[in-house]
Amino acid sequence: GVFCRFGGRSAEWRCLCDVADDSWMGNVRPVFKYFEERTPRTFTEVQEYTMTWHYREADEDFGEIQASDLQLHLDKVLGNMPVEVSLDAKQVQVRPYGVSKGAVLEELLEELTPYRADGVAGQTAAASAASAAFTALGAGGAG
């Protein structure tokens, strides 16, 4: 998970990926193990919110076939679960909907960017001063 605290050292740590339901992981483990046992040079990586089957070291053609079969099987097994199955970059990954590096980055930006009442992003005093100093040094480009 990703934990941050906003407001200095006295602030509480907060998880940016709050996932309540990880019951799907119990259904996925045996499926990944089955494919891992039948596909040489593959392995499964289990993290807090994701499970990934890596086949980058496997025979290229056989690995692709197995990965496609695994994805189809997972789509059937997990059809009603709040997860997404992706096949990309020599891996098959299962993760809860909305849990990704992009989603975490979006939440971080929302926390760190002050917004004005009209919805336009504002600048902090430090950012404004840094921007002014940068421009004064001639690095701000033509204006």
Side-chain angles (χ1 to χ4, degrees):
V2 177
F3 294 85
C4 292
R5 60 181 176 190
F6 302 102
R9 292 182 182 255
S10 62
E12 294 282 328
W13 285 97
R14 204 175 99 212
C15 180
L16 297 181
C17 300
D18 194 22
V19 177
D21 183 12
D22 64 355
S23 62
W24 58 270
M25 292 183 103
N27 296 332
V28 173
R29 269 194 183 92
V31 176
F32 274 25
K33 185 165 181 56
Y34 175 88
F35 278 85
E36 190 176 332
E37 289 171 353
R38 282 149 187 79
T39 314
R41 297 186 308 278
T42 64
F43 66 96
T44 299
E45 176 186 10
V46 179
Q47 295 180 324
E48 190 172 1
Y49 298 116
T50 64
M51 196 174 298
T52 308
W53 182 72
H54 296 272
Y55 64 97
R56 65 181 164 265
E57 299 295 324
D59 175 81
E60 189 171 340
D61 293 333
F62 188 58
E64 292 291 333
I65 291 167
Q66 291 291 81
S68 294
D69 287 348
L70 174 57
Q71 184 182 25
L72 288 172
H73 187 76
L74 289 170
D75 285 339
K76 289 179 187 175
V77 170
L78 300 170
N80 295 329
M81 302 296 272
V83 296
E84 54 191 340
V85 178
S86 65
L87 170 58
D88 186 34
K90 303 287 187 186
Q91 64 186 25
V92 177
Q93 184 176 70
V94 181
R95 67 179 178 210
Y97 283 118
V99 174
S100 68
K101 291 174 188 170
V104 169
L105 180 59
E106 187 175 314
E107 188 164 342
L108 276 172
L109 289 173
E110 284 178 15
E111 287 287 338
L112 297 175
T113 305
Y115 284 91
R116 298 191 320 226
D118 60 5
V120 178
Q123 284 187 319
T124 62
S128 295
S131 177
F134 198 60
T135 303
L137 292 172

